[in-house]
Amino acid sequence: MQFDDDADLDTSEVEDARGSRVPGGRATIGGGIAGLIALVLGLLFGVGPDQLGLSSGNPEPVATSSSVSEVQQSCRTGRDANSREDCRLVAVVNSTQDFWNAEFTRRGGRYAPASTVFFTGRVNTGCGTATSAVGPFYCPVDRRVYLDLGFFEELRTKFGASGGPFAQAYVVAHEYGHHVQNLTGTLQKAQDGRQGANSNAVKVELQADCYAGVWAHNATRTPDGSTGRPLITSLTDEDIRDGLDAAAAIGDDRIQERFQGRVTPESWTHGSAQQRQQWFYQGYRTGDMARCNTFR
């Protein structure tokens, strides 16, 4: 995955709260294997921390002045995105939102942007206080995506993904898929409390995977506001394989087999490895969000 060296990055779409100290009580959730599985299945690529009993907190992340300026100072152009991980993620956020803004407009709608918050350790959100253990998630209350960048190493070491820049981009694009669902009213379908291979929770997650694929299909065609040229200049077959591999690594069956030694489809919340790959590729192959109806 390569970016246009001369494009300007829009750091206003990212709030950098890394290194901040967040006041408040300790977030609580069950420990051990059961706690890890609950965290993975409940928050990884999904809902906000309040739905797993995490402590409530202030709706805004608390950031120090030094951490806030890090991304703003270092991530100025596509050249920076080609050399730094945090800048690359800024560029992916920019590209993803450029695409969805254009897509909503094309369909006669209006896209409302969502910020991404980089954090380490702990962060206050509109959905409660979360720690880095929860992985990436989207909070529909404050319409923000939350990322601890350390998660991407865990995606490789704990969940067995091959990693790579586009695996990270897939994570971001999936979370923005949830934002699109929130704007269109689909996300609330996952809030019926049901689990299982045919549950609405699974269908919402698979649709977000498909939306990530739709963005990937269009990424090298979506013009950047600063240059009129696509911010992402190339995606290779290897990039897409990395995305598919990441999707499979966090399938419910793979996670259950790895952490509890057996697969229990009746408790699925995100879909199998095969389903996640299938729906990401459906979006990537067609480039059409209308082909992402997982509820049929």
Side-chain angles (χ1 to χ4, degrees), residues 45-56:
F45 302 91
V47 300
D50 61 327
Q51 292 169 275
L52 285 180
L54 294 173
S55 63
S56 61

Side-chain angles (χ1 to χ4, degrees), residues 195-199 202-203 206 252 264-269 271 275:
Q195 298 178 341
N198 198 42
S199 66
V202 167
K203 293 174 182 178
L206 296 178
D252 282 331
T264 53
E266 64 272 13
S267 64
W268 285 4
T269 58
Q275 286 175 312

Side-chain angles (χ1 to χ4, degrees), residues 213-270:
V214 170
W215 162 76
H217 175 96
N218 292 282
T220 58
R221 302 176 178 88
T222 301
D224 173 67
S226 67
T227 65
R229 303 187 302 270
L231 176 56
I232 297 178
T233 58
S234 69
L235 286 178
T236 66
D237 290 342
E238 182 179 358
D239 290 325
I240 300 305
R241 284 195 295 271
D242 284 344
L244 288 167
D245 184 71
I250 43 98
D252 282 331
D253 53 342
R254 294 271 186 95
I255 291 173
Q256 289 178 339
E257 182 67 34
R258 179 179 290 264
F259 292 108
Q260 67 183 27
R262 66 186 188 281
V263 177
T264 53
E266 64 272 13
S267 64
W268 285 4
T269 58
H270 288 66

Side-chain angles (χ1 to χ4, degrees), residues 144-169:
R144 286 180 171 91
V145 171
Y146 291 88
L147 296 173
D148 184 328
L149 273 59
F151 164 78
F152 296 117
E153 178 63 17
E154 294 186 350
L155 182 62
R156 186 180 64 83
T157 59
K158 288 187 178 181
F159 300 100
S162 60
F166 190 77
Q168 299 176 359

Side-chain angles (χ1 to χ4, degrees), residues 90-155:
V90 172
V92 170
V93 169
N94 290 171
S95 173
T96 304
Q97 299 214 94
D98 283 345
F99 167 69
W100 286 115
N101 182 60
E103 183 68 8
F104 271 57
T105 300
R106 187 178 72 83
R107 292 176 176 273
R110 184 176 180 180
Y111 177 76
S115 296
T116 288
V117 179
F118 294 165
F119 74 97
T120 53
R122 184 191 308 275
V123 66
N124 284 336
T125 83
C127 296
T129 299
T131 71
S132 57
V134 305
F137 64 94
Y138 170 73
C139 174
V141 177
D142 60 23
R143 293 186 175 182
R144 286 180 171 91
V145 171
Y146 291 88
L147 296 173
D148 184 328
L149 273 59
F151 164 78
F152 296 117
E153 178 63 17
E154 294 186 350
L155 182 62

